[in-house]
């Protein structure tokens, strides 16, 4: 009986895997074909005449190294700051008692529901006034803290039994030490998966960078991808596939490194309901 | 060694008084038990000593120094939590020495103290285990080890044995006393278990509804209860309390009466016609199957067989009472006559419920 059930699950999982892998395999295989082969044999998984031309074109037509560096710098800085501010704020909300704590938290959390389009123009004006237009600092600046991160990390901290904190206090540990020795190791899975989420979001971000950044040398990967999709004379789609593949690699590697934390977070939150 | 002194200490949560005006001095090196039902404020009192709760009003002194605003870590106090509060990501050894590392003790000293704690609590060989890989009894011992390596003046124990099974508890009780004899720390020990309180404590502080009811040795708490609450709380089955009136050298209970011996009459000579609560423990009632002189009359309701003896529940008038009887020779529905052991009887003032004291024999 159990075997049969497992069987059914596996079929379902295989189907899901197939559909989620399809576009990735499609992108990878077509990035190694030249345009004519791609148009003739688009579903051929193994290229008949494999070529690196698309990749060479990407690297020669664009300041590609600086684009990758920009994307990485923005995503890494944004992630690190969001995590640090998130940890600090979450710790205060969980372990400090102060007047107006709940009201403040409510206000903070309600900012999650403000759509990006509402803050887009004010942020743009602020960044322009500061002289950060066409600079990656302009992309980074409005994203240094994030209510979602505070919320997720706070939820994780709330699952730590309070007596652990009290035990550490009795041992003479101060707040920073408690945070470092006790709280952080216990919320590590949540922090890592929140960080991955921030990193991937920032890595894929399009609208805000396209507003701020003007010169190609300052571009991020999603903007570079766009260049090949809508360039005049039709879509050079095998080159676009090559950019896609490069864009995927870093988040994929990060995900593979940290996947056990991500899974831990989701499974543990599942158990606790 | 530190003396701990509560001076008119109150603690209020959201306008409800959890602790009401506590005055208590804990002697250096003694084992003081905070005993009471759940919600009586005993854990809060313990947490006030540890600085885990703020004092609403009044003062807490340790060694004559006011501690109200001193941080937990600077009070030189260690604690065993009810759930043990072991750090789940640290090994047994890391858990035990965490506080010593925070205090930045020299490495050799940390090692030495770790070794002595490990052998004291029979934890050798478990150093590298994580708490989740330990049994309940082992976790409890790790929590104890963590508390004793600090060599603090005061050890706070918040129901440390409540998560252990009955057999282990008896063993752990002895271990606690052994640890106390080895380190001579002041023990403040919270429990709701009166057997634990009687066996572990030098003194018992009995609490109810945030107030201290009685602070004395286990012997006196049992044999000289300060008030009706204490008499009823300690002992199982509970002390019988009868509402009686003193008149004409006798105790009247409903329609029945028994004459008091001279020493009692002398003691309460001026209380003619006054109402009292009479307290008598089940083991101090003598049951007879035939009518005897100077006894109350009742009817057996049901019998609890404890093996070596039995508890006989009987009705007297409209009131239920219980006596410990050595033989199982009674049946429910049977009439019984019972005599009181006047040397073990307590009288409490009806208004204040306080013990009126005992006559000199």
């Amino acid at each position: 009986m159990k075997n049969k059930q497992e069987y059914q699950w596996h079929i379902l999982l295989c189907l899901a895997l197939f559909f989620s892998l399809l576009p990735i395999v499609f992108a990878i295989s077509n990035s190694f074909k030249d345009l004519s082969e791609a148009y003739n044999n688009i579903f051929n998984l193994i290229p008949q005449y494999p070529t690196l031309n698309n990749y060479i074109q990407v690297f020669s037509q664009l300041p590609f190294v600086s684009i990758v560096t920009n994307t990485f710098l923005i995503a890494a800085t944004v992630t690190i700051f969001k995590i640090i501010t998130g940890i600090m704020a979450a710790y205060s909300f969980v372990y400090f008692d102060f007047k107006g704590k709940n009201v403040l938290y409510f206000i903070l959390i309600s900012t999650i529901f403000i759509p990006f389009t509402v803050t887009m123009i004010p942020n743009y004006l602020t960044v322009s006034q500061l002289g950060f237009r066409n600079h990656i600092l302009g992309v980074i600046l409005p994203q240094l803290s994030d209510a979602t991160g505070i919320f997720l990390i706070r939820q994780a901290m709330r699952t730590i039994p309070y007596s652990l904190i009290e035990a550490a206090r009795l041992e003479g540990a101060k707040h920073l030490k408690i945070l470092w020795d006790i709280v952080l190791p216990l919320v590590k899975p949540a922090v890592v998966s929140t960080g991955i989420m921030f990193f991937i979001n920032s890595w894929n971000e399009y609208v805000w960078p396209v507003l701020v950044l003007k010169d190609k040398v300052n571009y991020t990967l999603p903007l570079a991808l766009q260049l090949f999709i809508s360039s005049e004379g039709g879509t050079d789609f095998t080159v676009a596939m090559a950019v896609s593949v490069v864009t995927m690699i870093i988040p994929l590697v990060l995900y593979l490194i940290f996947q056990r934390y991500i899974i831990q977070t989701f499974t543990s939150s599942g158990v606790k309901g | 060694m530190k003396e701990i002194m509560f001076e008119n200490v109150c603690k209020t949560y959201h306008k409800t008084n959890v602790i009401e005006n506590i005055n208590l001095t804990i002697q250096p090196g003694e084992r003081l038990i905070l005993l009471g039902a759940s919600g009586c404020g005993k854990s809060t009192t313990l947490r006030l000593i540890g600085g885990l709760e703020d004092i609403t009003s009044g003062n807490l002194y340790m060694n004559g120094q006011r501690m109200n605003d001193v941080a937990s870590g600077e009070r030189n106090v260690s604690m065993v939590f009810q759930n043990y509060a072991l750090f789940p990501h640290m090994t047994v050894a890391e858990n035990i020495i965490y506080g010593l590392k925070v205090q930045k003790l020299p490495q050799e000293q940390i090692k030495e103290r770790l070794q002595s704690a490990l052998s004291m609590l029979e934890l050798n060989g478990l150093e590298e285990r994580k708490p989740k890989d330990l049994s309940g009894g082992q976790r409890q011992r790790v929590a104890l080890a963590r508390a004793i390596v600090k060599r603090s003046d005061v050890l706070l124990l918040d129901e440390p044995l409540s998560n252990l099974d009955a057999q282990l508890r008896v063993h752990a009780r002895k271990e606690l006393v052994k640890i106390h004899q080895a380190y001579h720390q002041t023990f403040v020990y919270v429990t709701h278990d009166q057997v634990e309180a009687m066996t572990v404590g030098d003194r018992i502080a009995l609490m109810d509804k945030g107030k201290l009811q009685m602070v004395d040795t286990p012997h006196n708490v049992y044999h000289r209860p300060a008030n009706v609450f204490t008499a009823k709380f300690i002992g199982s089955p509970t002390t019988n309390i009868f509402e009686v009136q003193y008149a004409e050298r006798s105790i009247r209970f409903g329609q029945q009466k028994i004459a008091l011996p001279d020493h009692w009459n002398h003691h309460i000579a001026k209380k003619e016609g006054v109402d009292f609560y009479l307290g008598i423990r089940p083991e101090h009632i003598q049951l007879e199957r035939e009518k005897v002189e100077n006894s109350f009359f009742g009817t057996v309701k049901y019998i609890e067989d404890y093996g070596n003896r039995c508890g006989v529940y009987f009705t007297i008038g409209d009131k239920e009472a219980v006596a410990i009887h050595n033989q199982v020779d009674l049946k429910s529905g049977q009439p019984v006559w019972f005599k009181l052991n006047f040397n073990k009887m307590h009288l409490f003032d009806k208004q204040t419920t306080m013990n009126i004291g005992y006559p000199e024999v």
Side-chain angles (χ1 to χ4, degrees), chain A:
Chain A
M1 274 309 277
K2 203 191 161 195
N3 270 342
K4 196 182 168 193
Q5 222 174 13
E6 249 171 50
Y7 230 50
Q8 291 166 340
W9 273 115
H10 276 102
I11 292 170
L12 210 68
L13 284 173
C14 287
L15 267 176
L17 190 68
F18 174 76
F19 282 115
S20 39
L21 273 182
L22 191 65
I24 297 169
V25 174
F26 182 78
I28 293 172
S29 81
N30 281 298
S31 73
F32 291 104
K33 296 174 188 169
D34 69 22
L35 199 58
S36 59
E37 188 197 343
Y39 274 128
N40 291 328
N41 260 323
I42 198 161
F43 292 112
N44 211 1
L45 285 187
I46 310 210
Q48 248 176 320
Y49 311 102
T51 168
L52 284 173
N53 274 344
N54 299 318
Y55 290 91
I56 293 166
Q57 214 178 326
V58 168
F59 281 89
S60 58
Q61 279 185 7
L62 284 172
F64 208 72
V65 175
S66 71
I67 288 175
V68 173
T69 316
N70 287 341
T71 320
F72 186 80
L73 270 182
I74 292 172
T77 317
V78 163
T79 305
I80 289 168
F81 269 92
K82 279 183 180 177
I83 288 296
I84 292 175
T85 51
I87 288 169
M88 297 290 195
Y91 187 93
S92 324
F93 278 121
V94 178
Y95 299 114
F96 290 161
D97 262 324
F98 51 90
K99 262 205 176 120
K101 179 161 111 168
N102 293 334
V103 176
L104 199 64
Y105 183 69
F106 177 77
I107 293 171
L108 194 76
I109 290 310
S110 58
T111 64
I112 294 175
F113 305 104
I114 300 173
F116 170 70
T117 40
V118 174
T119 55
M120 186 170 71
I121 302 301
N123 275 344
Y124 181 75
L125 294 175
T126 312
V127 164
S128 302
Q129 295 280 314
L130 289 170
F132 290 143
R133 206 161 41 166
N134 197 17
H135 194 288
I136 59 168
L137 269 181
V139 182
I140 292 170
L141 203 63
Q143 308 192 67
L144 292 182
S145 118
D146 188 296
T148 318
I150 297 170
F151 171 76
L152 289 174
I153 298 170
R154 175 180 173 269
Q155 293 306 99
M157 285 182 185
R158 276 158 53 112
T159 64
I160 301 175
Y162 193 61
S163 57
L164 294 188
I165 311 300
E166 292 181 328
R169 262 171 72 194
L170 274 164
E171 301 283 20
K174 300 275 187 294
H175 281 298
L176 266 181
K177 188 128 184 73
I178 294 173
L179 174 63
W180 191 254
D181 287 349
I182 313 295
V183 175
L184 273 188
L186 294 175
V187 297
K188 195 159 132 197
V191 168
V192 170
S193 41
T194 309
I196 295 272
M197 186 188 83
F198 285 152
F199 189 90
I200 292 174
N201 281 351
S202 171
W203 188 268
N204 294 336
E205 198 179 27
Y206 181 74
V207 180
W208 178 242
V210 90
L211 267 178
V212 177
L213 304 174
K214 294 287 168 273
D215 297 332
K216 280 181 189 165
V217 81
N218 291 328
Y219 267 18
T220 61
L221 280 166
L223 309 195
L225 186 60
Q226 179 65 14
L227 286 177
F228 292 96
I229 292 172
S230 60
S231 59
E232 281 174 37
T235 299
D236 201 352
F237 103 93
T238 51
V239 183
M241 288 301 112
V243 180
S244 297
V245 171
V246 177
T247 310
M248 282 190 301
I249 287 171
I250 290 180
L252 203 66
V253 168
L254 279 176
Y255 183 82
L256 287 176
I257 295 173
F258 293 113
Q259 60 156 335
R260 71 190 171 101
Y261 292 111
I262 296 170
I263 289 164
Q264 217 171 322
T265 307
F266 289 127
T267 48
S268 71
S269 66
V271 169
K272 276 157 198 152

Side-chain angles (χ1 to χ4, degrees), chain B residues 51-317:
Chain B
L52 300 174
E53 305 280 351
D54 291 329
I55 292 170
T56 309
S57 69
N59 295 308
L60 173 72
Y61 296 96
M62 285 186 187
N63 234 11
Q65 199 193 340
R66 190 172 176 272
M67 300 305 270
N68 291 36
D69 304 316
V70 177
S72 301
E74 280 144 37
R75 294 189 183 197
N76 199 11
V77 163
S78 44
M79 181 159 171
V80 177
F81 290 81
Q82 184 171 9
N83 62 3
Y84 312 139
L86 299 177
F87 306 126
H89 57 296
M90 296 186 191
T91 63
V92 166
E94 285 168 343
N95 261 291
I96 295 174
I97 62 173
Y98 180 72
L100 306 182
K101 276 189 158 169
V102 173
Q103 288 174 25
K104 298 203 170 80
L105 247 65
Q107 202 63 41
E108 311 89 69
Q109 215 172 332
I110 292 180
K111 260 191 193 151
E112 180 206 310
R113 287 202 197 176
L114 173 65
Q115 282 314 321
S116 93
L118 286 172
S119 55
M120 179 95 193
L121 289 154
E122 292 157 32
L123 288 166
N124 285 305
L126 301 176
E127 297 93 320
E128 296 308 314
R129 295 239 193 126
K130 291 275 177 71
K132 67 174 183 339
D133 302 320
L134 300 176
S135 70
Q138 288 167 337
R139 280 180 210 174
Q140 192 264 343
R141 295 210 300 277
V142 175
L144 256 177
R146 184 174 68 184
I148 62 171
V149 280
K150 256 178 92 184
R151 310 270 159 94
S152 54
D153 297 331
V154 181
L155 181 55
L156 307 174
L157 302 118
D158 190 0
E159 310 224 12
L161 310 182
S162 62
N163 290 333
L164 303 181
D165 59 54
Q167 279 189 341
L168 213 51
R169 210 176 294 169
V170 175
H171 177 72
R173 236 155 52 195
K174 287 185 202 147
E175 203 155 55
L176 280 175
V177 176
K178 187 177 89 183
I179 284 169
H180 182 258
Q181 279 155 358
Y183 295 103
H184 297 290
Q185 292 166 303
T186 308
F187 268 34
V188 186
Y189 186 115
V190 164
T191 183
H192 63 267
D193 182 327
Q194 43 168 306
V195 181
E196 244 171 79
M198 301 292 283
T199 50
V200 178
D202 291 326
R203 283 199 305 159
I204 293 174
L206 182 64
M207 294 184 71
D208 182 44
K209 295 182 187 125
K211 288 182 189 148
L212 276 178
Q213 299 295 319
M214 184 174 186
V215 185
D216 213 326
T217 59
H219 182 273
N220 283 352
V221 168
Y222 191 88
H223 294 282
R224 294 279 185 268
N227 51 29
V228 172
F229 177 84
T230 310
K232 285 188 74 98
F233 191 87
I234 306 278
S236 174
T238 183
T239 302
N240 298 295
I241 302 288
F242 301 106
E243 215 180 307
V244 298
Q245 194 186 47
Y246 176 65
E248 294 164 359
R249 299 174 64 83
S250 340
I251 286 288
R252 288 163 188 273
F253 178 74
Q255 305 299 318
Q256 309 188 43
K257 66 172 183 176
I258 50 175
L260 282 183
D262 285 345
H263 59 285
W264 271 108
N265 278 317
H266 187 69
H267 186 57
I268 52 172
K270 288 174 189 153
K271 310 268 184 168
E272 184 73 19
V274 173
D275 289 338
F276 290 105
Y277 286 117
L278 183 153
I280 185 90
R281 291 198 179 276
E283 59 268 39
H284 300 143
I285 293 177
Q286 191 194 333
L287 287 182
E288 300 290 347
R289 301 166 73 178
E290 314 282 320
K291 186 173 176 167
V292 287
E293 277 299 294
N294 219 23
S295 64
F296 284 137
F297 167 76
T299 311
V300 176
K301 228 174 130 193
Y302 66 96
I303 295 166
E304 279 178 349
D305 193 346
Y306 305 136
N308 55 348
R309 54 213 187 122
C310 58
V312 180
Y313 289 81
F314 56 93
T315 46
I316 158 167

Side-chain angles (χ1 to χ4, degrees), chain B residues 4-10 19-26 32 34 45 57-61 203 205-207 210-215:
Chain B
I4 304 167
M5 197 173 99
F6 286 84
E7 187 186 76
N8 304 323
V9 170
C10 298
I19 302 286
E20 267 181 68
N21 206 31
I22 282 197
N23 287 289
L24 171 67
T25 304
I26 303 171
L32 182 98
L34 290 165
T45 308
S57 69
N59 295 308
L60 173 72
Y61 296 96
R203 283 199 305 159
L206 182 64
M207 294 184 71
K211 288 182 189 148
L212 276 178
Q213 299 295 319
M214 184 174 186
V215 185

